[in-house]
């Protein structure tokens, strides 16, 4: 023993050294257990990530299993730690439990909505606002539970005793709260889905997302507009995708007042039939919409299948109308009046083909004035050799008087008749409303006068004797088309004549 040392101090020193050794060993043990917890959690996370990349698990399900495994490992760690260490770290364990429980609950919500989105008939994504609301409620429960366990604070008593604070917060956030509840109302009623084209107020666009406060809309200009949910709920809302994705569009086309309606309607109808993006079913319609002092206004109604294709379809239709007007010598009226100062010409404005109409058997006995009125209400059309004038099966409300040239009537691949100047074709469609029964093609350079149903009704009003000629046409047509007995041909003629009377008389 060293000289001058106190023997009584030796036992205390040995006790201290032993305590230090025990503490060091305990610390090492705790460190090893923490390292084992971390290694186990990382191993589970790596395994779940591998399964997710291979497509065995979805991302939310892998996240849910990861945080559930974390909860189990925290509980195992608490069980294997010494009681004194576990008691000292009670607050840390509580925070870990609550944090992992919150993460697991959020992943469970995401997994649930992923399953619901897969079950939706349109295959769309789930609404994020409901996911966020559920996560917010879970967070509120977790925070309240944590405060009660760690600090013994009762959230309910704080909220009920702070009426003034609650009123201030409510008044300052009334727009935000209104948008939130409006967003929830939109989720319940579901007036639109992501991907629908809508108009809310003066904004038109495609819905990209519905958040807590805003409905995000991408316009045709590719700009994103944030519409507050309360504004969307209050304004008049138009959904262009319901009840169907088809959209009816109407364009108004001006024409000069001296152009016959049949001529203008035929031009617009041809442009509609050739325009790209215009649906064939239901068929486009052309109507005389308005008669103004210096023009006639026609409406062209057609259907498109995609809202974002309406501008392209309108461009195709209007461009086609311009070219058809140019081809048929129809002038688009300017918003001014023209004044002619020269002397009037007696022959100016005399309809073309007036002389040829007098040779038509159906119009026999009509005066020159009546023939001129009919010619003014009709349109002269020219056809090149081989060009199809009318096609079998198409609808039509016009018939043609051949002014010059020759046409062939074809059924299938067989030519059944040839017609020349002074004869007519297409009368069955005009007189009965039936579809075209044959193809009619020009054999040589041909000019025809096309008469519509209104023009022919005007003729019948002035010359009722034409009705008997129409009856004779039906009888001849029925007898030529049937090889059966005469009574059956007479019955067909009566049926056709009944249709004619229903349309014109």
């Amino acid at each position: 023993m060293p000289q001058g040392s106190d023997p009584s101090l030796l036992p205390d020193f040995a006790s201290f050294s032993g305590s230090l050794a025990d503490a060091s060993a305990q610390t090492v043990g705790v460190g090893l257990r923490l390292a084992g917890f971390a290694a186990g959690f990382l191993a589970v996370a790596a395994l779940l990530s591998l399964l997710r990349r291979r497509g065995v698990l979805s991302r939310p399900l892998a996240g849910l299993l990861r945080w559930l495994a974390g909860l189990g490992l925290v509980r195992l760690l608490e069980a294997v730690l010494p009681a004194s260490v576990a008691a000292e770290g009670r607050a840390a364990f509580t925070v870990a439990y609550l944090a992992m429980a919150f993460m697991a609950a959020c992943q469970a919500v995401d997994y649930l909505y992923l399953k619901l989105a897969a079950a939706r008939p349109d295959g769309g994504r789930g609404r994020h606002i409901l996911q966020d609301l559920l996560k917010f409620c879970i967070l509120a429960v977790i925070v309240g539970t944590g405060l009660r366990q760690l600090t013994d604070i009762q959230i309910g008593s704080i909220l009920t005793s702070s009426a003034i604070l609650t009123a201030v917060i409510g008044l300052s956030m009334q727009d935000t709260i209104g948008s939130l509840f409006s967003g929830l109302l939109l989720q319940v009623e579901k007036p639109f889905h992501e991907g629908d084209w809508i108009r809310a107020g003066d904004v038109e666009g495609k819905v990209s997302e519905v958040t807590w406060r805003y409905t995000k809309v991408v316009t045709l200009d590719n700009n994103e507009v944030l519409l507050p949910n309360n504004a969307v709920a209050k304004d008049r809302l138009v959904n262009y995708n319901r009840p169907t994705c088809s959209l009816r569009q109407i364009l108004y086309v001006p024409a000069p007042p001296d152009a016959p309606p049949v001529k203008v309607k035929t031009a617009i109808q041809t442009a509609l039939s050739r325009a790209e993006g215009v649906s064939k079913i239901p068929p486009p319609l052309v109507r005389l919409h308005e008669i103004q002092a210096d023009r006639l206004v026609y409406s062209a109604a057609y259907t498109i299948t995609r809202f974002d294709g309406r501008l392209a379809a309108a461009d195709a239709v209007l461009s086609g109308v311009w070219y058809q007007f140019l081809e048929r010598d129809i002038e688009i009226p300017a918003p001014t009046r023209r004044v002619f100062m020269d002397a009037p010409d007696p022959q100016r404005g005399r309809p073309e083909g007036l002389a040829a109409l007098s040779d038509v058997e159906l119009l026999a006995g009509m005066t020159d004035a009546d023939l001129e009125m009919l010619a003014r209400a009709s349109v002269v059309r020219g056809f090149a050799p081989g060009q199809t004038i009318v096609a079998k099966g198409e609808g039509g409300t016009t018939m043609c008087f051949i002014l010059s040239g020759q046409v062939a009537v074809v059924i299938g691949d067989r030519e059944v008749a040839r017609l020349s100047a002074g004869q007519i074709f297409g009368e069955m469609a005009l007189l009965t409303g039936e579809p075209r029964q044959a193809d009619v093609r020009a054999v040589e350079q041909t000019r025809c006068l096309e008469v519509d149903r209104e023009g022919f009704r005007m003729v019948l009003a002035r010359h009722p004797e034409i009705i008997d000629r129409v009856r004779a046409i039906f009888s001849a047509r029925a007898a030529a088309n049937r090889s059966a007995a005469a009574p059956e041909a007479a019955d067909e003629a009566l049926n056709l004549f009944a249709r004619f009377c229903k349309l014109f008389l």
Side-chain angles (χ1 to χ4, degrees), residues 47 73 113 159 164 186 191 275 364 387 426 455 492:
L47 176 61
L73 290 174
Y113 269 79
L159 294 177
I164 298 178
L186 294 176
Q387 183 177 355
E492 182 180 356

Side-chain angles (χ1 to χ4, degrees), residues 286-504:
V286 182
R287 296 286 186 266
L288 178 57
H289 176 69
E290 187 179 4
I291 298 178
Q292 299 180 1
D294 58 345
R295 67 187 64 201
L296 303 180
V297 180
Y298 294 82
S299 64
Y302 57 92
T303 302
I304 58 176
T305 56
R306 292 170 48 246
F307 177 82
D308 53 345
R310 62 174 187 164
L311 296 182
D315 170 73
V317 170
L318 293 178
S319 298
V321 168
W322 189 91
Y323 284 107
Q324 288 298 318
F325 277 19
L326 180 65
E327 180 181 343
R328 301 167 191 267
D329 196 25
I330 302 175
E331 183 180 356
I332 298 178
T336 56
R337 295 181 180 273
R338 293 178 295 177
V339 179
F340 297 94
M341 303 301 295
D342 55 337
D345 184 358
Q347 298 298 322
R348 175 181 293 172
R350 186 173 178 81
E352 182 180 357
L354 187 61
L357 286 179
S358 59
D359 298 330
V360 178
E361 180 180 356
L362 183 63
L363 306 179
M366 291 181 59
T367 64
D368 289 345
D370 292 337
L371 291 175
E372 181 175 350
M373 181 181 64
L374 176 62
R376 288 187 181 278
S378 309
V379 57
V380 177
R381 300 181 62 188
F383 302 93
Q387 183 177 355
T388 299
I389 303 175
V390 297
K392 181 180 178 179
E394 68 179 9
T397 59
T398 62
M399 68 177 178
C400 293
F401 298 93
I402 302 176
L403 302 179
S404 63
Q406 195 175 49
V407 301
V409 181
V410 180
I411 299 179
D413 296 329
R414 183 169 62 92
E415 180 179 322
V416 297
R418 287 207 175 190
L419 306 175
S420 56
Q423 294 181 289
I424 61 176
F425 62 89
E427 70 278 7
M428 299 301 287
L430 180 139
L431 298 176
T432 66
E434 289 186 338
R436 306 290 187 185
Q437 301 298 315
D439 295 331
V440 180
R441 303 190 184 104
V443 177
E444 57 189 44
Q445 193 70 32
T446 303
R447 297 185 68 80
C448 300
L449 183 72
E450 187 176 23
V451 181
D452 67 352
R453 191 169 289 163
E454 292 301 321
F456 192 75
R457 183 177 283 111
M458 179 178 60
V459 171
L460 287 179
R462 290 173 173 265
H463 296 274
E465 67 273 10
I466 295 180
I467 297 177
D468 294 331
R469 300 171 192 169
V470 171
R471 189 197 301 269
I473 290 175
F474 288 149
S475 298
R477 179 64 57 88
N481 288 344
R482 287 183 175 270
S483 58
E488 297 181 4
D491 291 341
E492 182 180 356
L494 290 175
N495 292 334
L496 294 175
F497 186 72
R499 292 187 186 180
F500 164 78
C501 294
K502 185 177 180 179
L503 288 175
F504 290 95

Side-chain angles (χ1 to χ4, degrees), residues 135-351:
K135 292 177 182 179
F136 178 78
C137 294
I138 293 171
L139 178 61
V141 172
I142 293 292
V143 171
T145 304
L147 290 176
R148 186 178 60 186
Q149 292 185 1
L150 296 176
T151 62
D152 198 23
I153 296 177
Q154 299 295 329
I155 300 296
S157 60
I158 295 178
L159 294 177
T160 55
S161 61
S162 303
I164 298 178
L165 179 61
T166 304
V168 171
I169 294 176
L171 291 175
S172 61
M173 299 182 64
Q174 58 181 348
D175 290 338
T176 302
I177 296 174
S179 294
L180 171 61
F181 281 98
S182 297
L184 294 177
L185 182 63
L186 294 176
Q187 304 305 313
V188 174
E189 295 185 350
K190 294 184 179 179
F192 52 81
H193 295 289
E194 282 85 355
D196 287 356
W197 289 90
I198 67 169
R199 183 176 75 228
D202 58 349
V203 177
E204 287 183 339
K206 185 177 183 180
V207 179
S208 61
E209 188 179 1
V210 180
T211 65
W212 286 72
R213 293 187 58 197
Y214 298 104
T215 296
K216 296 182 181 180
V217 174
V218 180
T219 65
L220 288 174
D221 299 329
N222 205 26
N223 296 323
E224 187 176 76
V225 180
L226 301 180
L227 300 175
N229 288 332
N230 54 356
V232 176
K234 292 178 182 178
D235 289 341
R236 185 177 66 175
L237 179 67
V238 179
N239 190 337
Y240 294 108
N241 289 75
R242 296 186 186 180
T244 64
C245 293
S246 299
L247 179 65
R248 194 71 165 170
Q249 194 165 7
I250 300 178
L251 298 178
Y252 297 96
V253 180
D258 57 347
V262 60
K263 182 177 183 179
V264 179
K265 289 181 181 180
T266 302
I268 300 176
Q269 193 72 46
T270 302
L272 287 171
S273 64
R274 298 177 180 177
E276 185 177 357
V278 175
S279 178
K280 305 300 181 184
I281 300 174
L285 297 176
V286 182
R287 296 286 186 266
L288 178 57
H289 176 69
E290 187 179 4
I291 298 178
Q292 299 180 1
D294 58 345
R295 67 187 64 201
L296 303 180
V297 180
Y298 294 82
S299 64
Y302 57 92
T303 302
I304 58 176
T305 56
R306 292 170 48 246
F307 177 82
D308 53 345
R310 62 174 187 164
L311 296 182
D315 170 73
V317 170
L318 293 178
S319 298
V321 168
W322 189 91
Y323 284 107
Q324 288 298 318
F325 277 19
L326 180 65
E327 180 181 343
R328 301 167 191 267
D329 196 25
I330 302 175
E331 183 180 356
I332 298 178
T336 56
R337 295 181 180 273
R338 293 178 295 177
V339 179
F340 297 94
M341 303 301 295
D342 55 337
D345 184 358
Q347 298 298 322
R348 175 181 293 172
R350 186 173 178 81

Side-chain angles (χ1 to χ4, degrees), residues 9-20:
L9 296 178
L10 292 178
D12 294 335
F13 178 76
S15 176
F16 172 75
S17 300
S19 300
L20 182 61

Side-chain angles (χ1 to χ4, degrees), residues 46-66:
L47 176 61
L48 294 174
S49 178
L50 177 63
L51 294 176
R52 181 180 60 81
R53 287 197 298 268
R54 293 187 176 182
V56 179
L57 300 175
S58 62
R59 181 185 294 272
L61 181 57
L64 174 61
L65 295 178
R66 180 173 64 249

